[in-house]
């Protein structure tokens, strides 16, 4: 116990090789400097991996589950868990280290992060490798590693039910991997409540490498706060800022699916493997159509007044229960990006991807790449194990998803992502292999959105649409993902002041806007230091040629394409403003001193 | 919301309104048909008006804000001599959201039963002065209270609640004494006030409401059939 308010001051260390667990005190200075969530997770990663080039699938690589200081308090939308590890997907162009890769982080909503705090921890760090497939049960102080061979190969939809029943108490909150994670598909995800995921960056693959099928957590405690009265007053204001507002209702009505039509109309959607920014059939897979034909419930994460998640049911050939979706990312990556506009078919693909435990974004991106290569005759049907992978084909998409998760035939190669695929195929396919540092881009297209291109190339985990379109946004989001609060309510300006007040009242560390962003900057720079040490340089901050060469041919942004020299100029300015060397991207000493990272 | 059932619309009907409706001839048969003879008997009885917390499952999103609001109000803290709401640890909440797979969330809360099977099950002899058992209905608030000094921790009340009604009453894991009876927060239920989705209301107790007095498993199964057409469930054990 650190005695610092707002925290337990304790990390739960679990070593699967030795089958042991222990509570470890967190240095109090780290709580002020790295907060929780993504930030504190990065500091733990930095401290545990003291040298570059460590194999991300080795027992040494920690898999870190982090709530933040908001987690476990009734703060609106304080539901997030940030999973942090060393990426099993990314790699630099050149490096001295065979297993060089970036940091990786992935956020999910739900109830897991708060429950970690109820159990008495500010985070869970898992290292080692179990001898056989296992799962962990944490019930306050009691930590058990149990053998779980009977769950081998189990898909997540069934597992979610079976596991809950096996635990015998529905108050347990669980995370788990599907067959894809067990099979070490690099872009495997970690699932929670069957429909929420830490999808990006290979979290499920690292979990699988540890022979860990699942974690269940339940707890009864809560940390104290520094200033109870101030917290309650700020909480009241935060609720007022969101409850019953048009803003909150808009999220409940359509969630992120609203943007499926919105971004198509704006020319910023991934369509036809990023060839276009507008999908003429977007309305068939958008929020209005889903509300009309699919959704039966609006679902919220812990204490969230937005309820952006949806569940529903479809009928017909592809019919069944839909745990979530379409959301913007899932709906676009498996919908417009593949020219699939059949709603039940789209939802079937989304459901199966979650069921197998794959990242929706990378999976949709990979299949889009293969569809284009197939259309262009760069690969034939034999290369695809007989799958007729035509644009818009739901059946072919479903067949490819199964192959990837099983690492069967073409699936083994496709599971390595578009960069590996394009290197194998050659014939100029690198141009439309839509990735940065080896991680596939998300559903935001950029021929008409240069700032989002900056987000993709400078993000710490490889192509990330959430990193932020400029330095201020990046710093802010790195910090936000360290608090446990979700990004979505923070577009509401009235939340800003009570959010800072709650954070200050909980932790006793005074956060104004400047301190909030400065802390985020420290976190972002620590990630940069890690990546730089692994060998990532400016040449790795590179977009595929498509965005500079293939102007949109349809839609309101027809003719749009990025200008290479303008983009490079923007990047040079970015590094300069960051206080990094614009040739190598190495953070300069002055910047590190300013952030207190010079002696780290 | 599709498939919206109309149960929440009943909440606007007060007892007085009910009696009035019955008295209006033409509408009487409709109302009687809806509520049955039991409803009429209750409406005409002289028993005190009982209030309860009612959840509209079609509006509930499973966010668990109600748990934190309940806990904060019923587990206050004293700071510098002032009583303030607590930090809302959901473990101590009297209302509890039961989450199932596929997505069904059922906030479960004391049904404020007019016939109090929990009190009837209490084996402690009634006090000579107050005529109360260890578990009793408070004459002012009409909520169920337990006298810890007289309670023997036999868990009979919890068993009665579990077999006959919601199963909300939970024995304390150490003492066996009953917990989680709704307090109605002294007349201003915080779960009602704090629900971001307006899914909870404070209404008169009426045993003929859909889902009245049922345990979360039964409610969940019923809801899942309507929403997803399935009876296959996780979280039932």
């Amino acid at each position: 116990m650190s005695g610092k308010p707002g925290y337990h001051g304790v990390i739960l260390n679990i070593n699967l090789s030795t089958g042991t667990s222990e509570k470890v005190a967190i240095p109090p200075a780290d709580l002020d400097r790295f907060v929780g969530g993504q930030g504190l997770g990065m500091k733990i990663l930095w401290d545990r991996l003291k040298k570059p080039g460590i194999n991300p699938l080795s027992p040494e690589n920690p898999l870190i589950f982090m709530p933040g200081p908001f987690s476990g308090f009734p703060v609106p939308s304080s539901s997030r868990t940030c999973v942090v590890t060393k990426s099993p997907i990314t790699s630099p162009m050149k490096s001295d280290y065979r297993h060089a890769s970036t940091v990786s982080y992935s956020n999910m909503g739900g109830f897991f992060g708060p429950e970690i705090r109820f159990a008495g921890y500010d985070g869970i760090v898992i290292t080692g490798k179990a001898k056989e497939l296992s799962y962990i049960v944490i019930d306050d102080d009691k930590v058990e590693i149990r053998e779980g061979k009977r769950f081998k190969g189990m898909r997540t939809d069934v597992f979610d039910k079976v596991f809950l029943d096996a635990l015998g108490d529905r108050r347990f909150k669980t995370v788990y991997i599907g067959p894809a994670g067990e099979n070490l598909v690099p872009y495997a995800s970690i699932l929670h409540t069957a429909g929420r995921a830490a999808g990006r960056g290979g979290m499920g693959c690292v979990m699988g490498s540890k022979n860990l099928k699942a974690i269940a957590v339940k707890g009864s405690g809560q940390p104290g706060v520094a200033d109870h009265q101030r917290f309650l007053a700020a909480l009241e204001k935060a609720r007022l800022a969101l409850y019953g507002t048009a803003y909150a209702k808009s999220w409940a009505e359509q969630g992120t699916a609203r943007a499926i039509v919105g971004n198509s109309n704006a020319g910023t959607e991934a369509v036809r493997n990023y060839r276009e920014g507008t999908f003429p059939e977007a309305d068939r897979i958008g929020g209005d159509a889903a509300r009309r034909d699919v959704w039966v419930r609006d679902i919220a994460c812990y204490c969230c007044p937005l309820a952006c998640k949806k569940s529903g049911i479809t009928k017909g050939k592809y019919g069944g229960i839909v745990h979530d979706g379409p959301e913007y990312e899932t709906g676009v990556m498996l919908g417009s990006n593949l020219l699939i506009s059949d709603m039940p078919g789209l939802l079937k693909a989304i459901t199966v991807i979650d069921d197998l435990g794959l990242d929706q974004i990378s999976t949709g991106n990979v299949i889009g790449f293969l569809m284009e290569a197939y259309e262009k005759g760069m690969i034939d049907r034999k290369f695809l194990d007989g799958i007729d992978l035509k644009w818009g084909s739901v059946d072919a998409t479903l067949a490819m998803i199964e192959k990837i998760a099983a690492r069967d035939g073409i699936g083994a190669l496709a599971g390595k992502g578009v960069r590996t695929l394009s290197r194998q195929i050659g014939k100029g396919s690198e141009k439309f292999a839509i990735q940065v540092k080896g991680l596939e881009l998300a559903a935001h297209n950029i021929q008409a959105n240069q700032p989002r291109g900056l987000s993709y190339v400078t993000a710490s985990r490889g192509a990330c649409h959430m990193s932020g379109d400029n330095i201020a946004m990046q710093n802010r989001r790195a910090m936000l993902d360290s608090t446990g609060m979700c990004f979505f309510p923070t577009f509401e300006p009235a939340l800003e002041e009570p959010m800072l007040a709650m954070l200050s009242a909980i932790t006793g560390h005074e956060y104004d806007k400047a301190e909030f962003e400065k802390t985020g900057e420290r976190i972002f720079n620590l990630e940069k230091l890690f990546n730089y040490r692994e060998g990532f340089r400016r040449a790795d901050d590179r977009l595929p040629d498509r965005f500079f060469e293939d102007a949109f041919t349809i839609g309101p942004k027809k003719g749009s394409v990025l200008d290479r020299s303008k983009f490079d100029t923007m990047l040079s300015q970015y590094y300069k403003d960051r206080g990094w060397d614009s040739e190598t991207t190495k953070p300069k000493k002055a910047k590190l001193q300013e952030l207190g990272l010079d002696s780290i | 919301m599709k498939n919206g059932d109309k149960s929440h619309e009943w909440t606007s009907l007060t007892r007085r309104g009910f009696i009035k409706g019955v008295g209006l001839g033409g509408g009487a048969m409709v109302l009687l048909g809806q509520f049955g003879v039991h409803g009429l008997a209750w409406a005409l009885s002289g028993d005190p008006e009982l209030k309860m917390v009612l959840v509209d499952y079609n509006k509930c999103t499973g966010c668990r804000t109600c748990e934190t609001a309940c806990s904060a109000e019923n587990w206050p803290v004293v700071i510098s001599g002032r009583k303030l709401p607590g930090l809302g640890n959901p473990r101590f909440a009297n209302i509890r959201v039961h989450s199932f797979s596929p997505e069904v969330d059922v906030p479960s809360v004391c049904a404020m039963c007019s016939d109090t099977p929990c009190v009837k099950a209490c084996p402690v002899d009634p006090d000579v002065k107050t005529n109360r058992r260890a578990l009793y209905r408070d004459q002012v608030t009409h909520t169920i209270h337990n006298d810890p000094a007289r309670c023997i921790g036999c868990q009979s009340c919890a068993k009665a609640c579990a077999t006959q009604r919601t199963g909300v009453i939970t024995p304390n894991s150490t003492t066996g004494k009953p917990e989680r009876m709704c307090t109605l927060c002294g007349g201003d239920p915080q779960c009602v006030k704090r629900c971001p989705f307006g899914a909870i209301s404070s209404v008169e107790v009426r045993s003929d409401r859909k889902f009245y007095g049922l345990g979360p498993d039964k409610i969940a199964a019923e809801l899942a059939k309507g929403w997803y057409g399935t009876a296959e469930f996780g979280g039932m054990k």
Side-chain angles (χ1 to χ4, degrees), chain B residues 91-114:
Chain B
R91 178 52 65 99
F92 304 118
N94 298 327
I95 190 168
R96 180 170 294 164
V97 181
H98 295 254
S99 298
F100 300 83
S101 177
E103 289 81 356
V104 177
D105 297 289
V106 181
S108 186
V109 63
C110 177
M112 297 286 174
C113 312
S114 60

Side-chain angles (χ1 to χ4, degrees), chain A residues 90 200 361 434-442 455-467 543:
Chain A
T90 54
R200 302 239 70 197
I361 294 174
I434 308 300
Q435 53 81 27
V436 174
K437 302 182 180 71
L439 184 68
E440 288 75 18
L441 269 72
S455 177
Y456 281 132
V457 297
T458 59
S460 306
R461 68 178 178 188
C464 171
H465 63 293
M466 296 291 291
S467 171
L543 285 173

Side-chain angles (χ1 to χ4, degrees), chain B residues 213-234:
Chain B
L214 294 182
D217 297 43
K218 283 181 185 152
I219 296 173
E222 199 62 32
L223 291 171
K225 262 185 257 164
W227 287 336
Y228 309 115
T230 187
E232 266 184 50
F233 252 90

Side-chain angles (χ1 to χ4, degrees), chain A residues 94-302:
Chain A
K94 278 188 281 182
S95 175
D96 298 336
Y97 313 104
R98 186 168 156 235
H99 292 294
S101 71
T102 60
V103 296
S104 198
Y105 53 88
S106 194
N107 276 284
M108 65 179 177
F111 303 88
F112 195 69
E115 203 66 38
I116 291 175
R117 295 260 285 182
F118 297 144
Y121 313 101
D122 297 317
I124 301 172
V125 181
I126 296 157
T127 53
K129 179 180 181 178
K131 282 189 192 72
E132 53 199 2
L133 197 64
S134 301
Y135 64 98
I136 299 169
V137 181
I138 301 164
D139 191 352
D140 281 324
D141 277 344
K142 212 170 102 191
V143 181
E144 279 182 62
I145 301 166
R146 297 183 193 164
E147 174 275 311
K149 276 184 295 190
R150 66 188 183 285
F151 298 130
K152 194 164 172 53
M154 205 175 269
R155 297 183 177 217
T156 65
D157 179 71
V158 167
F159 183 79
D160 186 66
K161 299 182 181 89
V162 171
F163 191 44
L164 207 54
D165 286 342
L167 293 164
D169 185 338
R170 62 174 83 103
R171 282 176 301 174
F172 275 108
K173 301 301 170 193
T174 63
V175 292
Y176 39 86
I177 56 173
E182 291 177 40
N183 295 335
L184 306 183
V185 176
Y187 49 88
S189 65
I190 295 175
L191 269 288
H192 170 51
T193 69
R196 295 177 172 98
R200 302 239 70 197
M203 300 301 151
C205 180
V206 173
M207 190 154 159
S209 77
K210 301 193 175 311
N211 256 334
L212 182 61
K213 179 72 177 178
I215 308 171
V217 180
K218 168 162 89 68
S220 57
Q222 211 181 21
V225 299
D227 187 338
H228 195 99
Q229 228 162 319
R230 186 182 179 197
F231 171 69
L232 292 182
L235 175 62
E236 194 67 35
K237 279 191 186 170
R239 284 171 166 164
L240 274 175
L242 296 168
Y243 278 30
T245 60
Y247 179 75
K249 281 177 184 159
S250 155
W251 280 99
E253 197 179 282
Q254 295 211 347
T256 59
R258 185 183 300 283
I260 293 174
V261 170
N263 283 8
S264 174
N265 289 341
T268 56
E269 187 147 305
V271 180
R272 204 185 229 276
N273 194 33
Y274 301 80
R275 182 65 190 80
E276 303 293 348
T278 297
F279 185 41
E281 295 176 73
D283 60 329
R284 294 191 60 200
I285 55 168
D288 285 331
R291 174 60 72 196
R292 189 184 62 226
D293 300 334
V294 181
W295 294 336
V296 296
R297 277 196 77 202
D298 305 330
I299 297 170
C301 298
Y302 191 69

Side-chain angles (χ1 to χ4, degrees), chain A residues 361-435:
Chain A
I361 294 174
S362 283
T363 305
N365 186 312
V366 163
I367 294 173
F369 169 84
L370 286 172
M371 283 179 170
E372 181 162 355
Y374 184 52
E375 179 194 38
K376 292 195 158 120
M378 294 173 176
I379 54 175
D380 58 14
R381 202 160 161 174
K382 194 171 154 231
F383 183 91
L384 296 169
D385 296 343
I387 298 171
D388 189 17
L389 199 60
K390 287 202 177 94
W391 292 113
S393 169
V394 174
D395 288 335
T397 298
L398 293 174
M400 188 53 67
I401 293 166
E402 295 283 347
K403 287 238 166 212
I404 292 170
R407 285 180 74 181
D408 170 39
I410 175 64
L413 187 61
K416 289 179 178 168
V418 293
R419 186 174 59 179
T420 304
L421 271 170
S422 68
R423 280 175 184 166
Q424 184 82 16
I425 293 165
K427 302 173 185 170
S429 63
E430 293 90 346
K431 171 182 157 177
F432 58 86
I434 308 300
Q435 53 81 27

